[in-house]
Amino acid sequence: MNINKHKLAAGITFVGVPIGTARDITLRALDVLASADMLVAEDTRSLLKLMDIHGISLDGRKIAALHDHSSAGAVERLIKAAQGGKSIAYASEAGMPLIADPGFELSRAAAAGGVPVTCAPGPSAVLTALALGGLPTDAFYFAGFLPSTKAARLSALEGLRDIRATLVFYESPRRVGVMLRDAQTALGGTRPAAVCRELTKKFEEIRRGTVAELAEHYATVTTKGEVVVLVDRGDLETINSDDLEVALKAALEEFSMRDAVDMVAKANALPRRQVYQAALELNSQKG
């Protein structure tokens, strides 16, 4: 491969790297990695491996780490280096920098310090999932990672209920099942959805269905790899009695009648009295 190594202007270049398949990197990204005075990465081992695959030598350079646990001094040192005339390349662990990535602090500091920034764009798990998920792409909302605790996760999902766009989430493979279960409670189980796993990798998988169907599937399936979850904006105004009953049953399994009624009413934009009456009827059927 013909790498174009050349002198870069002082400043910071954010480098998009593959989300899976190493050959998805752009030629310009390779040029920047070969040419920058300083290399910075969220995961130094990942960047070193990628450079090795593509035959790019460090040439005496070291890869500095910049991640969630880095001190404020790490960003300050990079800004001073750029102000002193150094060219710096920053790469996320995977995909585009700053998307659920600690590079944001570097970008903000660069703007505040008058340091020039540019980007060698590359793959994005968000856009790749949208291309493959089969849901509307005319408008989408990237919600990143949801909170890990149930109460906070439900609250966050409820706040997204009325957004008229496809919702995009990053999720841990260990939490896909509970996240979908909470999405069923907060957003309604009838919305079309997709779980996109291991994008661009050997075991890439796209599973589509309603939120309720996917929640049921992932409740019993052990998932591995990187996961992106898509949830359609839905058609909340046309929920029928059967769908309402399904949503209520799911909510009542985990919450009191009062909390279940509140959640389902909010998720489906229904009057609380209507949902409460449906819950009473469900309880009477049990008796």
Side-chain angles (χ1 to χ4, degrees):
M1 188 177 295
N2 184 21
I3 303 296
N4 181 14
K5 186 175 179 180
H6 58 282
K7 179 67 175 177
L8 298 179
I12 298 169
T13 302
F14 294 103
V15 181
V17 295
I19 58 176
T21 303
R23 290 181 66 84
D24 283 342
I25 196 165
T26 68
L27 295 177
R28 182 181 170 213
L30 293 175
D31 291 346
V32 170
L33 292 175
S35 304
D37 296 322
M38 300 175 63
L39 300 170
V40 185
E42 179 186 12
D43 186 318
T44 59
R45 291 172 299 180
S46 294
L47 181 58
L48 184 60
K49 180 179 179 181
L50 181 67
M51 292 174 63
D52 185 60
I53 288 172
H54 292 289
I56 299 175
S57 172
L58 287 175
D59 289 331
R61 298 172 297 174
K62 294 183 178 180
I63 304 177
L66 184 65
H67 45 67
D68 289 329
H69 304 293
S70 296
S71 66
V75 170
E76 184 179 346
R77 286 191 293 273
L78 292 172
I79 296 301
K80 286 183 177 179
Q83 290 171 334
K86 297 292 186 182
S87 59
I88 300 171
Y90 171 83
S92 177
E93 180 179 359
M96 280 293 292
L98 280 69
I99 308 301
D101 171 80
F104 168 69
E105 295 299 335
L106 181 59
S107 176
R108 180 164 60 179
V115 171
V117 296
T118 188
C119 183
S124 165
V126 174
L127 298 180
T128 304
L130 284 165
L132 300 178
L135 297 182
T137 58
D138 60 315
F140 64 90
Y141 181 92
F142 176 57
F145 286 97
L146 289 167
S148 58
T149 61
K150 185 176 187 66
R153 186 166 54 243
L154 279 167
S155 178
L157 285 164
E158 287 172 3
L160 301 172
R161 182 188 65 247
D162 296 328
I163 293 178
R164 308 307 291 169
T166 297
L167 304 177
V168 186
F169 305 91
Y170 285 167
E171 191 50 86
S172 160
R174 299 185 303 276
R175 289 200 303 262
V176 174
V178 295
M179 177 267 176
L180 287 166
R181 182 67 174 265
D182 289 344
Q184 180 179 351
T185 299
L187 304 175
T190 60
R191 294 194 188 200
V195 175
C196 307
R197 187 178 68 84
E198 291 290 80
L199 293 172
T200 78
K201 301 178 184 177
K202 180 178 181 180
F203 296 105
E204 178 179 278
E205 177 187 45
I206 313 296
R207 182 173 290 274
R208 304 176 183 88
T210 65
V211 171
E213 289 168 345
L214 292 173
E216 181 179 2
H217 173 78
Y218 286 99
T220 57
V221 171
T222 300
T223 307
K224 296 181 179 180
E226 304 295 326
V227 175
V228 182
V229 178
L230 307 178
V231 179
D232 197 356
R233 68 201 70 184
D235 188 7
L236 305 180
E237 294 77 14
T238 60
I239 186 170
N240 58 42
S241 58
D242 290 339
D243 295 334
L244 177 58
E245 182 176 322
V246 170
L248 269 173
K249 284 181 177 178
L252 287 167
E253 286 181 5
E254 299 186 55
F255 302 98
S256 67
M257 178 180 286
R258 178 177 179 177
D259 289 343
V261 168
D262 286 343
M263 288 180 182
V264 173
K266 289 179 181 178
N268 296 281
L270 293 173
R272 189 182 187 282
R273 180 176 297 179
Q274 176 185 343
V275 179
Y276 180 68
Q277 185 60 42
L280 289 177
E281 292 176 6
L282 277 178
N283 277 346
S284 66
Q285 292 172 12
K286 291 180 181 180

